[in-house]
Amino acid sequence: MKTKTHMVMHMNNETFFKEIQSIIHGRKFNPDFVEEWFAQILKKLEVLSAQSYLISHPRHRGDSREDRLIEVLREIIPPAFPITKGFVVNDLTCMSREQDCLICNGNLFSKIATTDSVSYVPIYSVLASVEIKTDLDINELRKCIINCASLKSIQYGLDPSGTYRGKKDKIIYSVFAYKSDKELEDIRNQLLELNNSIPKGMWINQIYVMNK
């Protein structure tokens, strides 16, 4: 019959006081770990994006990339912030264009209706929207701006000049692109030029291009 052996670590006074002092003064956290962790997530997205090229139909290929990013976001964003895709509706029955990825407030989240994989969500539960692009060029950038305006224009308290009346949390609108032949500075300049004809309250908040 085999007997289990247990390793016992003896802690002398010197080790004890070192451990206590370490706890009292706080253990140092290496932030490089977080940077490396997110770098690995981006590498995963690169691999998944490359795999999607095996899908012959362009629409299905785009849907695959959207689904992959949403899966990754669900892994890193707490469950208190549900993620869905679909249309946003306000109390005046005004509706946005279809949004690729909606991040919502779990305390207020509800779906007015769901058809297939698309939901209709009340605007008061929406915190952010992410537009997902395979390749961001000037044509796709224009589409992003229109999509963003369709969402932000139906926010409560937004007058025609784009100014918010009273206190209202603003919806963050982001664009995530897997790639772009344009440099970031060129994208920024094009965005600023196109924004000239749009109220500031309807502008895109941020654009991220992978590996740029």
Side-chain angles (χ1 to χ4, degrees):
M1 179 177 176
K2 293 183 178 180
T3 58
K4 293 182 179 179
T5 58
H6 298 277
M7 293 183 65
V8 178
M9 184 181 72
H10 294 285
M11 181 173 287
N12 56 31
N13 279 341
E14 183 181 354
T15 304
F16 170 75
F17 284 113
K18 280 184 178 179
E19 289 294 323
I20 287 294
Q21 291 300 312
S22 173
I23 291 172
I24 291 172
H25 295 292
R27 288 184 154 188
K28 291 185 178 180
F29 172 74
N30 184 2
D32 292 341
F33 158 75
V34 178
E35 183 179 352
E36 178 60 25
W37 185 61
F38 280 103
Q40 292 299 321
I41 290 175
L42 289 174
K43 287 180 182 179
K44 177 181 176 180
L45 282 172
E46 287 178 24
V47 172
L48 294 172
S49 176
Q51 288 176 346
S52 67
Y53 278 106
L54 300 174
I55 302 173
S56 58
H57 196 285
R59 174 62 189 270
H60 294 163
R61 187 163 58 237
D63 289 345
S64 173
R65 290 189 175 122
E66 288 179 15
D67 293 340
R68 295 296 179 269
L69 180 60
I70 289 173
E71 287 174 9
V72 169
L73 290 176
R74 283 181 175 145
E75 289 177 7
I76 61 178
I77 293 177
F81 303 98
I83 297 175
T84 188
K85 63 169 64 176
F87 301 88
V88 180
V89 183
N90 71 6
D91 64 341
L92 301 176
T93 65
C94 295
M95 186 173 70
S96 73
R97 294 195 174 197
E98 185 174 353
Q99 307 293 309
D100 291 339
C101 174
L102 292 166
I103 302 173
C104 302
N105 182 338
N107 292 327
L108 301 172
F109 181 63
S110 63
K111 296 178 182 179
I112 298 171
T114 301
T115 58
D116 296 327
S117 60
V118 175
S119 303
Y120 292 81
V121 181
I123 194 166
Y124 57 76
S125 68
V126 178
L127 298 174
S129 177
V130 182
E131 183 75 4
I132 304 165
K133 293 295 180 184
T134 296
D135 190 355
L136 186 63
D137 56 19
I138 184 63
N139 183 51
E140 293 301 319
L141 182 60
R142 291 191 184 103
K143 292 179 183 178
C144 290
I145 291 172
I146 290 172
N147 209 44
C148 175
S150 81
L151 174 60
K152 292 196 173 188
S153 65
I154 65 171
Q155 288 184 104
Y156 301 169
L158 182 63
D159 65 25
S161 69
T163 302
Y164 290 90
R165 299 191 303 268
K167 293 183 179 180
K168 173 67 182 76
D169 293 333
K170 300 176 184 177
I171 294 175
I172 302 299
Y173 191 95
S174 303
V175 177
F176 177 94
Y178 281 93
K179 71 184 186 75
S180 177
D181 293 333
K182 298 285 186 180
E183 295 299 324
L184 289 179
E185 187 64 23
D186 294 332
I187 295 173
R188 176 182 177 275
N189 291 336
Q190 288 176 338
L191 182 63
L192 290 174
E193 182 179 349
L194 292 168
N195 278 343
N196 285 333
S197 58
I198 304 170
K200 191 171 182 179
M202 301 182 193
W203 288 6
I204 291 172
N205 296 99
Q206 57 187 7
I207 295 177
Y208 178 85
V209 182
M210 202 158 62
N211 293 328
K212 289 280 188 181

